[in-house]
Amino acid sequence: MHRRRSRLAIATLGVIASLLAPTVVAASPAAAAPSGGKKVIANLFEWTWPSVASECTSTLGPKGYGYVQVSPPQEHVRGNQWWVAYQPVSYRIESRKGTRAQFRSMVDTCHAAGVKVIVDAVVNHMSGQDNGGTGWAGSSYGHYNYPGIYSAQDFHYCGRNGGNDIANYNDRFEVQNCELVNLADLKTGSDYVRNRLAAYLNDLLSLGVDGFRMDASKHMPAADIAAIKNRLSRPAYIVQEVIYGAGEPIQPSEYTGNGDVHEFRYGKDLARVFRSERLAYLRNFGEGWGHLPSGVASVFVDNHDTQRDVGGVLTYRDRGVYALANAFMLGWPYGSPTVMSSYTFTNRDAGPPSDANNKTRATTCYSGWECEHRWPVIANMVGFRNATEGTGVSNWYDNGNNHIAFSRTGRGYLTLNDEDYAITGRSYYTGLPAGRYCDVIHGTFSNGTCSGPVITVDGNGWFSATVPAKDGIAIHVGARLS
Ligand code: LM2
Ligand code: CA
């Protein structure tokens, strides 16, 4: 992890910002269908288990999200900051977000809604508390002593930089054997530690979990992650957090043998394109930009770390532009997309809305919770993604600047206009079957009707329309009226 703080640029309000009010998505009966081709992940950062469960039923399932990613579920140090979750104290499934029973019930409810569950698994380290303490669920611990779980022999002591801390990211040994911000670094090379970590993950699998985001993967050799994965009781989706750093010895590509890898360049590059370059450059976005192979890349506009520390990415604060960037991500066939869902904050350490005992409050999607995954543009583009899964890009058009358009061959069409002016009355060749399609950037398609503008594609595959400044149009075969 790199710590680099910078102020996020002040948001510019796009025309579609008015459409982004986090209106509650109408509840409809959840489909019991398996996820199948549904691959979009909603990262419900710091949500409680009961809130995740009801969101699966009311919104994630109906809108077509295939997975929900939840914050670390194990017992953690006490405190009100969000990051207490990243300091494990034991592997009891008991945290400020809920109990084991609530966790199990959440998994069952999400599955019934057709949504799989990915857990953020903190396996590189334990707490960073020099003096130890008592964890959320009452377990006492020392910095290098977790009774019944780990003792002093199970940790690395790299003997560098005064306090065993990582300082030099250009040194592979140091990054993997020293401590990330004082967090007691597990000897992931040892059989005992590997078995104990696998036991934790297997416990989660027994509760029905479908996959893991392996936190701090860069700080563990890829072979150690492979050894843990080999001990799993059944196959699980794996996505590894390896933050790309130019010139660093540890590269994201080392980890692709284990599963997917977060592609951190994606969000940074996308933000730069939207803020100060040209959308026309996105024509070969992804592998053409030196990013990971599409099949192993996990992509996102922002995540809980980049929206705080890395800077330079687009976040909920960018309103309409953020929605457009997510629309591009969901419309463009590169990588496996995760939609971030946040609570609002001004202080980077501030935890989610919680009670006096630091127990996280139920999510409301107002008063403190941003719920980007419900923004109509983003939620509707999940349907676009699902309808176009597996198809390539054709009919690319750009004006050499900030207006782009492309087909997802035979299935959908997306045009984005990030110019400061409207593009009026242009004709677009989609290659789609003739018909009346719901513009899902401005309207929601349900029960055969569209709450927004309808786009008519003629018998030759063309339509004409005006695209306002900082706006777009998206149509797909899953949202066709006739
Ligand atoms: C990650 N990926 O590699 C997480 O995505 C990231 O959010 C985690 O950092 C980190 N690795 C460890 O899992 C967060 C947060 C830090 C916080 C740590 C541990 O960004 O600020 O560190 O979790 O809770 C905090 C203090 C830090 C202190 C440390 C240990 O900010 O100053 O270090 O706790 O007490 C002395
Ligand atoms: Ca390590």
Side-chain angles (χ1 to χ4, degrees), residues 1 3 5 45 77 82-88 120 122 124-130 143 165 180-183 213-219 241-243 264 303-305 308-309 348-349:
M1 188 188 66
R3 308 286 301 281
R5 306 203 179 169
F45 178 62
V77 300
W82 61 270
W83 41 252
V84 297
Y86 293 94
Q87 298 192 41
D120 194 345
V122 183
N124 171 65
H125 53 261
M126 297 298 281
S127 84
Q129 308 299 317
D130 284 330
H143 195 187
D165 261 355
L180 174 62
V181 294
N182 202 42
L183 300 164
R213 169 203 184 254
M214 304 295 280
D215 179 68
S217 290
K218 187 196 273 187
H219 302 282
E241 194 236 17
V242 184
I243 303 179
F264 279 83
N303 80 352
H304 74 277
D305 288 321
R308 287 178 170 74
D309 292 334
R348 67 88 65 184
D349 293 331

Side-chain angles (χ1 to χ4, degrees), residues 11 48 50 105 175 177 204-205 211 228 261 274 286 330 351 448 466 474:
T48 68
S105 153
V175 172
N177 297 279
L204 291 167
L205 291 177
I228 296 164
V261 180
F274 271 92
L330 293 164
T466 289

Side-chain angles (χ1 to χ4, degrees), residues 387-416:
T388 58
E389 187 65 46
T391 65
V393 169
S394 49
N395 306 319
W396 174 273
Y397 164 80
D398 67 68
N399 67 349
N401 201 42
N402 280 306
H403 179 40
I404 60 171
F406 58 90
S407 298
R408 292 296 303 279
T409 311
R411 307 284 296 171
Y413 193 82
L414 174 65
T415 176
L416 296 177

Side-chain angles (χ1 to χ4, degrees), residues 127-461:
S127 84
Q129 308 299 317
D130 284 330
N131 301 318
T134 303
W136 172 268
S139 304
S140 53
Y141 67 93
H143 195 187
Y144 303 111
N145 181 31
Y146 299 83
I149 308 174
Y150 301 123
S151 55
Q153 67 198 11
D154 299 316
F155 295 94
H156 290 138
Y157 308 95
C158 74
R160 295 191 184 179
N161 310 314
N164 293 316
D165 261 355
I166 300 169
N168 180 9
Y169 274 82
N170 290 315
D171 185 321
R172 174 184 292 270
F173 176 86
E174 192 163 319
V175 172
Q176 297 183 330
N177 297 279
C178 290
E179 295 177 355
L180 174 62
V181 294
N182 202 42
L183 300 164
D185 199 61
L186 285 163
K187 264 190 194 160
T188 48
S190 92
D191 271 336
Y192 176 78
V193 170
R194 289 173 173 182
N195 287 335
R196 190 63 195 82
L197 291 170
Y200 165 50
L201 302 184
N202 283 331
D203 182 39
L204 291 167
L205 291 177
S206 80
L207 296 174
V209 160
D210 303 281
F212 302 107
R213 169 203 184 254
M214 304 295 280
D215 179 68
S217 290
K218 187 196 273 187
H219 302 282
M220 299 175 279
D224 292 2
I225 297 174
I228 296 164
K229 186 185 168 192
N230 283 337
R231 287 164 165 79
L232 296 183
S233 54
R234 60 179 165 81
Y237 173 72
I238 300 280
V239 56
Q240 300 156 101
E241 194 236 17
V242 184
I243 303 179
Y244 171 83
E248 287 185 14
I250 306 170
Q251 288 293 310
S253 53
E254 291 173 31
Y255 292 80
T256 56
N258 295 330
D260 286 2
V261 180
H262 287 326
E263 178 49 272
F264 279 83
R265 287 167 285 195
Y266 188 96
K268 277 171 92 171
D269 287 343
L270 197 57
R272 208 178 58 251
V273 166
F274 271 92
R275 286 216 172 103
S276 56
E277 295 181 349
R278 299 167 184 214
L279 264 54
Y281 297 168
L282 295 173
R283 178 178 202 133
N284 63 346
F285 199 56
E287 289 170 15
W289 285 53
H291 299 169
L292 289 164
S294 180
V296 291
S298 152
V299 300
F300 40 87
V301 178
D302 61 330
N303 80 352
H304 74 277
D305 288 321
T306 68
Q307 72 176 186
R308 287 178 170 74
D309 292 334
V310 178
V313 299
L314 296 165
T315 74
Y316 70 86
R317 295 190 177 93
D318 294 283
R319 313 311 300 175
V321 176
Y322 183 72
L324 289 188
N326 273 277
F328 176 79
M329 173 180 76
L330 293 164
W332 187 251
Y334 169 82
S336 206
T338 295
V339 170
M340 177 66 191
S341 192
S342 322
Y343 59 85
T344 58
F345 62 92
T346 46
N347 173 349
R348 67 88 65 184
D349 293 331
S354 354
D355 70 15
N357 301 317
N358 297 327
K359 191 171 172 354
T360 306
R361 291 185 193 281
T363 308
T364 52
C365 283
Y366 46 90
S367 70
W369 297 93
E370 185 59 49
C371 295
E372 296 93 312
H373 71 287
R374 284 192 189 182
W375 290 10
V377 171
I378 296 175
N380 289 340
M381 282 302 292
V382 173
F384 181 105
R385 180 74 171 206
N386 291 341
T388 58
E389 187 65 46
T391 65
V393 169
S394 49
N395 306 319
W396 174 273
Y397 164 80
D398 67 68
N399 67 349
N401 201 42
N402 280 306
H403 179 40
I404 60 171
F406 58 90
S407 298
R408 292 296 303 279
T409 311
R411 307 284 296 171
Y413 193 82
L414 174 65
T415 176
L416 296 177
N417 176 21
D418 196 35
E419 302 285 7
D420 297 330
Y421 51 87
I423 306 283
T424 51
R426 210 186 158 273
S427 289
Y428 298 87
Y429 178 68
T430 69
L432 291 175
R436 298 172 61 243
Y437 294 83
C438 186
D439 169 13
V440 298
I441 298 279
H442 297 95
T444 294
F445 181 77
S446 78
N447 299 323
T449 62
C450 178
S451 66
V454 171
I455 298 289
T456 301
V457 173
D458 70 20
N460 296 317

Side-chain angles (χ1 to χ4, degrees), residues 101-121:
Q102 289 173 321
F103 185 89
R104 181 198 296 272
S105 153
M106 166 193 78
V107 174
D108 292 346
T109 302
C110 290
H111 284 174
V115 180
K116 295 182 179 175
V117 178
I118 297 171
V119 164
D120 194 345

